[in-house]
Amino acid sequence: MKFRPCIDLHSGQVKQIVGSTLTDHNAKEDLSTNFETDAPASSFAKMYKRDKLTGGHVIMLGPGNTEAAKSALAAYPNGLQIGGGINSENAKEWIDAGASHVIVTSYVFHNGKIDMERLSNLVSKVGKSKLVLDLSCRRKPMDPNGPYYVVTDRWQTYTEVEVNNQTLKLLGEYCDEFLVHGVENEGKRCGILEDLVILLGESSPVPVTYAGGVKDMSDLERVENLGNGKVDLTIGSALDCFGGDLKYDQVVSWHRQRNT
C-alpha cells in the first residue's frame, strides 16, 4: 500500500474543500473550505518530488486552474497525474506538459452512462497506460445503505453507473488505474468509507487509490487491512501541510516503511 499525495486547485489556489459542498455556482460563502493558501502549487509538487512520492494527483476544480496545474507538473515531471476537465482533445496536451497520467470522469460518464466511444477515443489518444478513470461516488440520499454511484460535474450529478465488481472489471480493461473519492466523507476528517474500501480491495483488477475522510494514522492501517494491501490512499485535509493535525512527515515515514 502506498500514500498518494494530492494538490487540489480551486480558482488557481491550493485548497482543501468539503467535497459535498462544491457546485458549479458556488458563492464563496456557500463553499466549505478546510484550507487555502497563497503558496504556489509548484511548492507542494517540489515537496512530493523531494520525498520521492509517486502517483499523486493534481485536481482542477472548475476554471482558472490551468496555469497553477502546469506549474506543478513542471516542478515534478512525470510524477503527478492531472484531472479536471480532461477530454480527448486536451489529454495529450497534459501528458506533454509533464503529467504521468490523465484522470477522467465527466467526459467518459456522459449523459449518465459509460460512453464507450468516448472512452475508446481517449485510449487511442493517450494509451491505456496513461489513463486513470475517476470513479468518485456517492450513495443516493434516499437510499443511504444502497450502492455507490459514480458522480460527475464536480461530484454534483449522479450517473446510472454503480461502483461494483462488474463495472470495475469492465473499465479495468481500458485504464491503468482507478481513483475513487468517497464524496460524502471527502474533506470531513470523519473516517473512511470502510465498505467502499473493502469493495475496491476485493474487486479492482487494476491499481486503485481511495480518498475521503482520513482523520488519523489509524485510518492508514484500516485501509491497508480492509483493502488487503491493494488499495492506495490519498490524504488531504487531515495533513498538517493542509491545516490538519496529522503530520505529513509521519505519513511519509509510514509509506517508506512499507515501500522500501
Side-chain angles (χ1 to χ4, degrees), residues 17 81 86 89 93 107 128 146 191:
I17 292 171
Q81 305 167 356
I86 306 295
E89 298 304 313
E93 173 189 337
Y107 179 72
K128 178 181 185 291

Side-chain angles (χ1 to χ4, degrees), residues 10-29:
H10 183 260
S11 299
Q13 279 187 293
V14 176
K15 297 183 183 181
Q16 286 291 314
I17 292 171
V18 177
S20 56
T21 70
L22 190 65
T23 70
D24 280 334
H25 308 291
N26 274 114
K28 190 168 184 179
E29 61 271 17

Side-chain angles (χ1 to χ4, degrees), residues 190-202:
C190 58
I192 62 167
L193 292 167
E194 295 189 357
D195 57 343
L196 182 55
V197 172
I198 291 170
L199 170 64
L200 297 174
E202 290 178 345

Side-chain angles (χ1 to χ4, degrees), residues 31-106:
L31 188 68
S32 182
T33 303
N34 290 322
F35 172 84
E36 57 184 273
T37 180
D38 291 328
S42 59
S43 67
F44 290 90
K46 289 174 183 176
M47 180 171 70
Y48 302 152
K49 182 180 181 181
R50 178 198 71 197
D51 293 330
K52 298 179 172 59
L53 298 172
T54 58
H57 58 259
V58 180
I59 300 294
M60 300 179 288
L61 298 166
N65 296 305
T66 299
E67 183 178 347
K70 288 189 173 180
S71 74
L73 298 180
Y76 192 5
N78 208 41
L80 294 165
Q81 305 167 356
I82 184 76
I86 306 295
N87 56 49
S88 62
E89 298 304 313
N90 63 19
K92 182 65 165 54
E93 173 189 337
W94 285 106
I95 296 296
D96 292 342
S100 66
H101 297 68
V102 290
I103 304 169
V104 181
T105 310
S106 299

Side-chain angles (χ1 to χ4, degrees), residues 96-160:
D96 292 342
S100 66
H101 297 68
V102 290
I103 304 169
V104 181
T105 310
S106 299
Y107 179 72
V108 167
F109 297 97
H110 184 229
N111 291 332
K113 298 180 173 64
I114 303 169
D115 190 320
M116 297 305 297
E117 183 177 349
R118 286 188 171 194
L119 179 55
S120 297
N121 191 25
L122 199 54
V123 172
S124 72
K125 293 291 179 67
V126 296
K128 178 181 185 291
S129 66
K130 295 287 187 181
L131 180 60
V132 176
L133 290 178
D134 185 340
L135 306 184
S136 294
C137 56
R138 342 172 51 156
R139 287 186 165 115
K140 293 187 175 179
M142 300 301 291
D143 192 7
N145 296 311
Y148 290 97
Y149 289 88
V150 174
V151 286
T152 63
D153 304 316
R154 285 167 289 287
W155 304 330
Q156 301 166 75
T157 305
Y158 283 91
T159 69
E160 299 171 17

